[in-house]
Amino acid sequence: MRKAVALPSAAIALMSVIGLATPAPTEYRTLATASMERAIPRGFLLYESEAARKRLEKKVVRTRMQWRASDRLEELLLIDPCATGKQTDTSRRSARTITGRSVEWDGDYSEQVIVYRDEIAARAAVRSLRSDLRRCAKRNRNHFTYRVKATPIGDEAFMVHMFKVASIDAATVVRQGRTVAIYTLPSSGDIPGDPPKWRPVEYGGLEARKMARKLADTPL
């Protein structure tokens, strides 16, 4: 019966180079997870698709929109109810924000995906945002009003009705695991001063649902 021989580290390194030694499946998963921690994959956001942008432009305006993309971790949340102009959430691991704007259209079409350290941090970020929306919902009733309604998307989600001066913006915030996605758009269905009708399609609900499904199928 032959005894097992412990190989020196130099020999193991040589075997790895020539392909005789390979990482265990768990090591592959660890490497993949570490890679996902560093950055959101290119093309992952809905508005990164050229086809999606063209469909949106054709739907809302007759001229091309100007698109801006940012991977800055410090990018402000798309919803800032207390007008702090500061980053209020913590424990971000990666983020991407895309905004489409037209000089002929009042309001932006924006998408933001933020990956947090873990699900606890993501829950805390959503809870903090909802707290700000309650606290600053009526800073100035003539110019600033926020209303919120829960909606069944992902692990948790809610729609936001934002009345600013004479315009209305709409948004949907969704959390799936440790990732939060936000979609904002100009409201086309409600009249300033009237109660919101809460139609998900007019609050970015379709996009939020699609993103929640994508997030459920990835390590993000």
Side-chain angles (χ1 to χ4, degrees), residues 117-132:
R117 178 188 62 231
D118 50 33
E119 186 171 335
I120 294 175
R123 286 177 180 272
V126 172
R127 186 167 59 249
S128 176
L129 178 56
R130 295 199 68 158
S131 175
D132 285 347

Side-chain angles (χ1 to χ4, degrees), residues 22-42:
T22 57
T26 54
E27 293 176 3
Y28 278 129
R29 288 195 292 271
T30 301
L31 290 172
T33 301
S35 176
M36 295 298 287
E37 286 273 353
R38 288 193 292 271
I40 297 170
R42 289 295 170 190

Side-chain angles (χ1 to χ4, degrees), residues 80-155:
D80 184 15
C82 300
T84 61
K86 299 178 181 179
Q87 180 186 341
T88 56
D89 56 333
T90 59
S91 303
R92 294 183 181 185
R93 287 297 178 264
S94 57
R96 182 165 301 146
T97 305
I98 298 179
T99 302
R101 177 173 297 175
S102 171
V103 296
E104 297 184 8
W105 191 261
D106 183 18
D108 299 335
Y109 282 79
S110 301
E111 175 181 27
Q112 187 172 58
V113 173
I114 301 175
V115 182
Y116 291 89
R117 178 188 62 231
D118 50 33
E119 186 171 335
I120 294 175
R123 286 177 180 272
V126 172
R127 186 167 59 249
S128 176
L129 178 56
R130 295 199 68 158
S131 175
D132 285 347
L133 283 164
R134 287 192 299 269
R135 181 164 55 91
C136 301
K138 295 180 180 179
R139 285 172 58 100
N140 183 331
R141 295 192 179 192
N142 296 324
H143 300 285
F144 249 32
T145 302
Y146 291 87
R147 295 175 179 173
V148 176
K149 181 177 177 61
T151 185
I153 303 175
D155 289 334

Side-chain angles (χ1 to χ4, degrees), residues 7 16 21 28 33 45 48 56 66 68 70-71 88 105 110 113 123 127 133-134 150 159 161 168 186 194 203 209:
L7 294 177
S16 298
Y28 278 129
T33 301
L45 271 64
E48 287 186 86
L56 184 59
Q66 295 181 341
R68 171 185 172 272
S70 170
D71 285 344
T88 56
W105 191 261
S110 301
V113 173
R123 286 177 180 272
R127 186 167 59 249
L133 283 164
R134 287 192 299 269
M159 296 178 287
H161 181 274
I168 300 176
D194 287 354
Y203 282 77
R209 191 175 300 279

